[in-house]
Amino acid sequence: MSASSKPSTVVVIGGGIFGVSSAVHLARRGVTTILINDGPVANGASSRSLAWLNSSRKRSPEYQQLRMVGIDRYRTLAAKYPDAPWLRFNGGLTWDADDANNEIADVFAHERELGYDAQHLAADGIAAATPGVDASTVPEQGAILNPGEGWVNLPSLIETLVAEFQELGGKLVTDAGKATVTVTNGRASGVTTTSGATFDADAVLLATGSLVPKMVSDHGQHIGDDTPIALLVRTKPVKTTLKAVLNTPRVAIRPTPDGALALDSAWSEEEVIAHGDGTYEIKESTLQGLLAEASKVLEGNPTLEIESYGVGPKPIPGDGEPVFGELQAIPGYFVAFSHSGATLGLIAGELLADEIITGRPHPLLARFRPERFAQSA
């Protein structure tokens, strides 16, 4: 699309954070926008995200920059909703296993070189810096506290953005069934759904999480895919003074708005059994093991009980970095596909909406174009 051809109608497919954020940014700028989802909003990966707002450890400079800008947008949002229980900046605390792969010293040096706010803490200094942690589980290499990090409860954020989207005149279509992008004369021209609905559009944004690679492949396009299955456990409310997000060798933990905890880990995800019919099986030993690992790192080692859990695909592109922008081979067809949905949710929606409206590629997204996979292939 050219800068002189502002679209009159855009269809966004996907009710997760990327789709909803993009839709509300389009609506704010006066574009007629239709947001379509196969069920209720936030029914996919956004409901299973730890949603830790961070740019810690090592990554490409471009990815680091985009994540930092993403966190900045959440600070703007926090100023707008200062009392929102679903968005907090109480820091993040990270430590590694006590083995040859421990990178805490190197990571701390790297973060300091970037100007990323970081404190290298010995175990006996943790209690004074951030509450709620059983410091006896921290190895002699210590931990890194990143005071500027935070967390967001994505379903709550999505609910807030959808309300604004509808107030601005945006059209929300839920329970639409499977959606298919229509391509006419080589460019995206709308969307059809299995419920029988048809929507014409000047541009389409595909933000369907793990389904993005398969959906673009139906039109001959390739995006590398390394999507695993994710498991997020939510505990019942528990008495704890923990405020920071914890990222430890055996479990990651964040507080929730209702006084409970959200838990995940790499090892528990690997124990999920995926069946051929698309269903998943979680062993009771996996769930109880995750609760036990969380209790170990919390002060007082509280007894934790499961309130609920979610399981399903965790969108991760083939090279681990985000995929944002227009398919060069199909004008008007835009995609959003990334693991870091929480941290990038607001900024990705803002920049994609701007590209759709103006036709000008944004330099912050230059590294993350979908064509890089075709070129490498």
Side-chain angles (χ1 to χ4, degrees):
M1 303 197 62
S2 68
S4 61
S5 59
K6 176 180 177 180
S8 60
T9 302
V10 176
V11 174
V12 178
I13 309 175
I17 185 58
F18 286 143
V20 171
S21 174
S22 301
V24 77
H25 277 97
L26 288 163
R28 286 172 182 171
R29 296 178 61 172
V31 175
T32 298
T33 308
I34 304 167
L35 176 62
I36 300 173
N37 201 50
D38 58 357
V41 295
N43 66 335
S46 291
S47 69
R48 302 186 297 271
S49 172
L50 189 71
W52 170 27
L53 306 177
N54 78 94
S55 190
S56 59
R57 304 193 79 100
K58 299 178 181 180
R59 59 193 83 246
S60 71
E62 296 90 345
Y63 197 9
Q64 170 77 16
Q65 182 183 16
L66 187 62
R67 292 175 72 100
M68 291 300 295
V69 178
I71 294 172
D72 173 75
R73 293 303 189 271
Y74 276 101
R75 294 195 177 278
T76 302
L77 187 71
K80 182 178 180 181
Y81 298 102
D83 299 322
W86 41 263
L87 176 59
R88 287 288 182 265
F89 284 97
N90 295 123
L93 185 71
T94 300
W95 67 86
D96 289 354
D98 185 12
D99 58 29
N101 296 318
N102 189 295
E103 296 181 327
I104 287 298
D106 288 343
V107 168
F108 175 69
H110 174 74
E111 291 180 354
R112 295 294 291 169
E113 288 175 359
L114 294 175
Y116 193 68
D117 195 1
Q119 301 171 17
H120 191 180
L121 303 175
D124 59 6
I126 290 174
T130 186
V133 180
D134 186 337
S136 69
T137 59
V138 177
E140 63 179 359
Q141 295 90 341
I144 297 174
L145 175 66
N146 301 112
E149 295 178 350
W151 59 267
V152 61
N153 190 64
L154 283 179
S156 300
L157 171 59
I158 288 170
E159 181 182 357
T160 300
L161 294 179
V162 166
E164 180 186 353
F165 173 69
Q166 293 181 298
E167 288 172 2
L168 292 169
K171 181 178 181 180
L172 175 65
V173 181
T174 57
D175 301 306
K178 180 182 177 182
T180 303
V181 179
T182 304
V183 176
T184 304
N185 296 325
R187 67 168 299 118
S189 58
V191 172
T192 60
T193 71
T194 53
S195 63
T198 300
F199 304 90
D200 295 329
D202 303 301
V204 175
L205 170 63
L206 183 64
T208 53
S210 63
L211 298 178
V212 168
K214 172 61 172 64
M215 293 180 72
V216 300
S217 72
D218 291 340
H219 291 283
Q221 305 303 299
H222 173 64
I223 293 176
D225 186 17
D226 198 22
T227 294
I229 302 303
L231 170 66
L232 186 79
V233 170
R234 304 170 189 86
T235 73
K236 293 181 179 179
V238 59
K239 289 185 178 181
T240 175
T241 57
L242 182 71
K243 297 183 182 298
V245 178
L246 299 187
N247 185 24
T248 81
R250 293 286 294 174
V251 65
I253 307 174
R254 74 156 167 88
T256 70
D258 61 357
L261 300 171
L263 318 174
D264 75 4
S265 73
W267 68 264
S268 59
E269 293 176 354
E270 292 172 357
E271 293 188 2
V272 174
I273 301 170
H275 296 297
D277 60 359
T279 60
Y280 304 99
E281 180 182 343
I282 312 298
K283 294 182 291 186
E284 183 65 21
S285 60
T286 299
L287 299 174
Q288 293 304 317
L290 194 58
L291 293 179
E293 295 291 351
S295 177
K296 288 178 185 177
V297 301
L298 294 174
E299 184 179 27
N301 309 124
T303 298
L304 303 178
E305 298 179 86
I306 292 177
E307 177 67 38
S308 64
Y309 64 85
V311 60
K314 177 194 293 184
I316 299 183
D319 59 5
E321 296 204 338
V323 183
F324 295 129
E326 188 174 25
L327 298 174
Q328 292 181 3
I330 310 176
Y333 193 150
F334 294 77
V335 298
F337 176 48
S338 176
H339 167 46
S340 45
T343 301
L344 301 183
L346 298 180
I347 189 61
E350 176 185 327
L351 299 183
L352 285 166
D354 186 73
E355 290 195 349
I356 292 169
I357 291 170
T358 68
R360 294 190 297 268
H362 197 285
L364 279 176
L365 300 184
R367 179 183 174 92
F368 310 115
R369 302 300 178 186
E371 282 67 34
R372 70 182 189 266
F373 292 103
Q375 293 166 359
S376 64

